[in-house]
């Protein structure tokens, strides 16, 4: 038997993350042979060629300043496994592809591809407020707004109502939190249940990624039903009644 390893994948794709941040992806590696395995990691790079390809806008960055692997050396007994961390450091506005080797002592070399990109977060709302108009106080009305992700980086969001305790149930939000994928959108539905015939004016607090909260006004009026009846007048009978009371 020869020492061999099993990898969950041969590609580690970090996707696109925020500039100047880092991301860790964990992969399980198993000793699939019947003998102990010793191995270590190394990056495969032609530094001179990469340096020649560099430009002023895209300077050369050594692969070990973009990716990292922990632990760098390991020993596994038969059928033993280890979770290895692959780390990506996002350089502003850059996309990188690297190759690393798991070199097994007395065995084969395994090649893995590492891919990652750095970018900024961008988003916009399709509305700046919601006006529900008049709503029967025993009924409800639903409106919506959309969060658009205009960038390549997915980001978390949350929406909450900045309302007093006795009005906390007037405006219901669905969903209250989540994640907007790159170049995608998230529809947020807001339902108004007045409960009372009166005016309502509150702010939703919309938080996206690391940006400052956005105060999003929502307004509406709870009303109750009224009926107005106009009955026709019988002019002949009214005249006769006036004459009768007149006495002549």
């Amino acid at each position: 038997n020869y020492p061999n390893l099993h990898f969950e994948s041969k590609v580690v794709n970090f996707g696109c993350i925020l500039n100047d941040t880092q991301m860790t992806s964990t992969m399980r590696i198993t000793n699939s042979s019947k003998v102990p395995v010793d191995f270590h990691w190394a990056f495969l790079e032609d530094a001179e060629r990469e340096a020649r390809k560099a430009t002023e806008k895209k300077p050369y960055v050594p692969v070990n300043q973009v990716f990292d692997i922990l632990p760098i050396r390991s020993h596994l007994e038969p059928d033993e496994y280890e979770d290895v961390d692959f780390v990506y450091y996002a350089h502003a506005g850059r996309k990188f592809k690297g190759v690393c080797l798991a070199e097994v002592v007395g065995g084969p070399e395994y090649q893995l591809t590492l891919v990652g990109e750095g970018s900024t977060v961008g988003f916009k709302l399709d509305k700046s407020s919601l006006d529900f108009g008049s709503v029967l106080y025993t009924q409800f009305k639903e409106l919506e707004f959309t969060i658009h992700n205009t960038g390549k980086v997915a980001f978390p969001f949350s929406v909450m109502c900045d309302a007093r305790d006795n009005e906390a149930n007037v405006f219901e939000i669905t969903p209250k939190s989540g994640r907007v994928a790159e170049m995608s959108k998230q529809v947020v539905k807001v339902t108004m249940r007045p409960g009372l015939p009166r005016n309502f004016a509150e702010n939703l607090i919309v938080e996206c990624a690391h940006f400052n909260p956005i105060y999003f006004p929502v307004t509406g009026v709870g009303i109750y039903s009224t009926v107005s009846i106009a009955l026709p007048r019988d002019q002949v009978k009214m005249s006769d009644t006036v004459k009768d009371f007149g006495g002549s």
Side-chain angles (χ1 to χ4, degrees):
N1 287 300
Y2 293 94
N4 286 289
L5 296 174
H6 172 74
F7 298 82
E8 290 181 323
S9 174
K10 293 299 179 65
V11 177
V12 181
N13 191 340
F14 295 92
C16 189
I17 66 174
L18 185 63
N19 287 337
D20 302 315
T21 63
Q22 71 179 53
M23 179 179 181
T24 300
S25 179
T26 302
M27 181 187 297
R28 178 158 294 183
I29 299 173
T30 305
N31 179 356
S32 57
S33 63
K34 297 184 181 299
V35 296
V37 172
D38 290 286
F39 68 99
H40 64 274
W41 293 94
F43 288 107
L44 184 62
E45 180 187 34
D46 187 339
E48 292 185 1
R49 188 189 67 169
E50 294 300 322
R52 288 195 300 268
K53 291 168 54 179
T55 64
E56 184 177 349
K57 291 185 177 180
K58 292 184 177 181
Y60 168 64
V61 181
V63 67
N64 60 4
Q65 292 183 19
V66 179
F67 301 105
D68 198 2
I69 305 171
L70 299 169
I72 198 70
R73 297 178 181 275
S74 297
H75 172 87
L76 296 177
E77 293 296 322
D79 297 324
E80 187 180 6
Y81 62 82
E82 180 177 55
D83 291 331
V84 176
D85 290 337
F86 296 86
V87 185
Y88 167 59
Y89 304 97
H91 294 252
R94 299 289 300 274
K95 184 175 183 178
F96 292 93
K97 181 178 180 180
V99 175
C100 62
L101 297 176
E103 300 178 335
V104 177
V105 177
E109 294 181 345
Y110 298 90
Q111 182 172 303
L112 274 69
T113 301
L114 310 176
V115 181
E117 184 176 2
S119 187
T120 58
V121 173
F123 79 96
K124 66 178 182 180
L125 306 182
D126 69 333
K127 298 181 179 70
S128 58
S129 63
L130 292 178
D131 183 6
F132 287 84
S134 298
V135 183
L136 285 174
Y137 78 98
T138 57
Q139 302 295 316
F140 69 89
K141 184 176 181 179
E142 183 179 276
L143 296 177
E144 63 185 38
F145 66 94
T146 303
I147 302 172
H148 291 269
N149 185 343
T150 59
K152 296 181 179 181
V153 182
F155 61 80
F157 76 92
S158 66
V159 184
M160 62 180 292
C161 188
D162 186 24
R164 294 181 290 274
D165 291 341
N166 61 339
E167 297 178 2
N169 295 324
V170 175
F171 297 102
E172 299 176 0
I173 304 161
T174 305
K176 293 183 178 180
S177 62
R179 193 171 183 84
V180 187
E182 59 181 273
M183 303 301 293
S184 185
K185 63 183 179 181
Q186 173 66 56
V187 175
V188 178
K189 296 182 179 181
V190 183
T191 303
M192 178 181 175
R193 301 179 186 272
L196 293 171
R198 48 158 292 193
N199 293 329
F200 293 93
E202 300 294 347
N203 281 314
L204 303 184
I205 302 176
V206 182
E207 294 186 342
C208 294
H210 58 283
F211 295 99
N212 292 330
I214 296 174
Y215 287 87
F216 190 95
V218 288
T219 55
V221 182
I223 61 172
Y224 56 86
S225 301
T226 59
V227 177
S228 177
I229 301 176
L231 299 175
R233 300 185 178 213
D234 192 330
Q235 296 296 332
V236 176
K237 289 185 178 181
M238 289 185 64
S239 298
D240 292 340
T241 301
V242 172
K243 288 180 180 180
D244 290 342
F245 280 98
S248 59

